[in-house]
mmCIF file with all atom_site columns, all heavy atoms in Angstrom:
data_model
loop_
_atom_site.group_PDB
_atom_site.id
_atom_site.type_symbol
_atom_site.label_atom_id
_atom_site.label_alt_id
_atom_site.label_comp_id
_atom_site.label_asym_id
_atom_site.label_entity_id
_atom_site.label_seq_id
_atom_site.pdbx_PDB_ins_code
_atom_site.Cartn_x
_atom_site.Cartn_y
_atom_site.Cartn_z
_atom_site.occupancy
_atom_site.B_iso_or_equiv
_atom_site.pdbx_formal_charge
_atom_site.auth_seq_id
_atom_site.auth_comp_id
_atom_site.auth_asym_id
_atom_site.auth_atom_id
_atom_site.pdbx_PDB_model_num
ATOM   1  N  N   . ASP A 1 82  ? -1.732 -11.174 0.318  1.00 91.00 ? 111 ASP A N   1
ATOM   2  C  CA  . ASP A 1 82  ? -1.226 -9.997  1.035  1.00 91.00 ? 111 ASP A CA  1
ATOM   3  C  C   . ASP A 1 82  ? -2.359 -9.372  1.938  1.00 91.00 ? 111 ASP A C   1
ATOM   4  O  O   . ASP A 1 82  ? -2.072 -8.873  2.964  1.00 91.00 ? 111 ASP A O   1
ATOM   5  C  CB  . ASP A 1 82  ? -0.788 -8.951  0.063  1.00 91.00 ? 111 ASP A CB  1
ATOM   6  C  CG  . ASP A 1 82  ? 0.859  -8.769  0.220  1.00 91.00 ? 111 ASP A CG  1
ATOM   7  O  OD1 . ASP A 1 82  ? 1.258  -9.003  1.222  1.00 91.00 ? 111 ASP A OD1 1
ATOM   8  O  OD2 . ASP A 1 82  ? 1.428  -8.351  -0.779 1.00 91.00 ? 111 ASP A OD2 1
ATOM   9  N  N   . GLU A 1 116 ? 1.839  -5.103  6.376  1.00 96.00 ? 145 GLU A N   1
ATOM   10 C  CA  . GLU A 1 116 ? 0.885  -5.929  5.552  1.00 96.00 ? 145 GLU A CA  1
ATOM   11 C  C   . GLU A 1 116 ? -0.300 -5.033  5.236  1.00 96.00 ? 145 GLU A C   1
ATOM   12 O  O   . GLU A 1 116 ? -1.020 -5.225  4.203  1.00 96.00 ? 145 GLU A O   1
ATOM   13 C  CB  . GLU A 1 116 ? 0.558  -7.233  6.169  1.00 96.00 ? 145 GLU A CB  1
ATOM   14 C  CG  . GLU A 1 116 ? 1.679  -8.267  6.291  1.00 96.00 ? 145 GLU A CG  1
ATOM   15 C  CD  . GLU A 1 116 ? 2.295  -8.510  4.843  1.00 96.00 ? 145 GLU A CD  1
ATOM   16 O  OE1 . GLU A 1 116 ? 1.718  -8.342  3.870  1.00 96.00 ? 145 GLU A OE1 1
ATOM   17 O  OE2 . GLU A 1 116 ? 3.476  -8.953  4.896  1.00 96.00 ? 145 GLU A OE2 1
ATOM   18 N  N   . HIS A 1 119 ? 0.396  -3.186  2.318  1.00 97.00 ? 148 HIS A N   1
ATOM   19 C  CA  . HIS A 1 119 ? 0.304  -3.975  1.104  1.00 97.00 ? 148 HIS A CA  1
ATOM   20 C  C   . HIS A 1 119 ? -1.051 -4.311  0.614  1.00 97.00 ? 148 HIS A C   1
ATOM   21 O  O   . HIS A 1 119 ? -1.339 -4.155  -0.582 1.00 97.00 ? 148 HIS A O   1
ATOM   22 C  CB  . HIS A 1 119 ? 1.079  -5.392  1.218  1.00 97.00 ? 148 HIS A CB  1
ATOM   23 C  CG  . HIS A 1 119 ? 2.467  -5.217  1.775  1.00 97.00 ? 148 HIS A CG  1
ATOM   24 N  ND1 . HIS A 1 119 ? 3.209  -6.263  2.151  1.00 97.00 ? 148 HIS A ND1 1
ATOM   25 C  CD2 . HIS A 1 119 ? 3.290  -4.063  2.000  1.00 97.00 ? 148 HIS A CD2 1
ATOM   26 C  CE1 . HIS A 1 119 ? 4.434  -5.875  2.568  1.00 97.00 ? 148 HIS A CE1 1
ATOM   27 N  NE2 . HIS A 1 119 ? 4.448  -4.555  2.425  1.00 97.00 ? 148 HIS A NE2 1
ATOM   28 N  N   . GLU A 1 216 ? 9.080  -7.042  2.535  1.00 94.00 ? 245 GLU A N   1
ATOM   29 C  CA  . GLU A 1 216 ? 9.105  -8.564  2.639  1.00 94.00 ? 245 GLU A CA  1
ATOM   30 C  C   . GLU A 1 216 ? 10.496 -9.092  3.003  1.00 94.00 ? 245 GLU A C   1
ATOM   31 O  O   . GLU A 1 216 ? 10.570 -10.073 3.703  1.00 94.00 ? 245 GLU A O   1
ATOM   32 C  CB  . GLU A 1 216 ? 8.580  -9.150  1.237  1.00 94.00 ? 245 GLU A CB  1
ATOM   33 C  CG  . GLU A 1 216 ? 7.188  -8.635  0.908  1.00 94.00 ? 245 GLU A CG  1
ATOM   34 C  CD  . GLU A 1 216 ? 6.060  -9.093  1.739  1.00 94.00 ? 245 GLU A CD  1
ATOM   35 O  OE1 . GLU A 1 216 ? 6.268  -9.637  2.834  1.00 94.00 ? 245 GLU A OE1 1
ATOM   36 O  OE2 . GLU A 1 216 ? 4.881  -8.668  1.476  1.00 94.00 ? 245 GLU A OE2 1
ATOM   37 N  N   . PHE A 1 342 ? 1.926  -14.113 3.948  1.00 66.00 ? 371 PHE A N   1
ATOM   38 C  CA  . PHE A 1 342 ? 2.757  -13.728 2.786  1.00 66.00 ? 371 PHE A CA  1
ATOM   39 C  C   . PHE A 1 342 ? 3.621  -12.581 3.264  1.00 66.00 ? 371 PHE A C   1
ATOM   40 O  O   . PHE A 1 342 ? 3.197  -11.678 3.971  1.00 66.00 ? 371 PHE A O   1
ATOM   41 C  CB  . PHE A 1 342 ? 1.806  -13.207 1.759  1.00 66.00 ? 371 PHE A CB  1
ATOM   42 C  CG  . PHE A 1 342 ? 2.378  -13.231 0.338  1.00 66.00 ? 371 PHE A CG  1
ATOM   43 C  CD1 . PHE A 1 342 ? 3.077  -14.398 -0.046 1.00 66.00 ? 371 PHE A CD1 1
ATOM   44 C  CD2 . PHE A 1 342 ? 2.290  -12.158 -0.504 1.00 66.00 ? 371 PHE A CD2 1
ATOM   45 C  CE1 . PHE A 1 342 ? 3.662  -14.393 -1.287 1.00 66.00 ? 371 PHE A CE1 1
ATOM   46 C  CE2 . PHE A 1 342 ? 2.797  -12.232 -1.860 1.00 66.00 ? 371 PHE A CE2 1
ATOM   47 C  CZ  . PHE A 1 342 ? 3.531  -13.394 -2.218 1.00 66.00 ? 371 PHE A CZ  1
HETATM 48 FE FE1 . FE2 B 2 .   ? 3.076  -8.538  2.233  1.00 97.62 ? 17  FE2 B FE1 1
#
Side-chain angles (χ1 to χ4, degrees):
D111 248 334
E145 294 303 336
H148 304 174
E245 304 298 2
F371 206 47

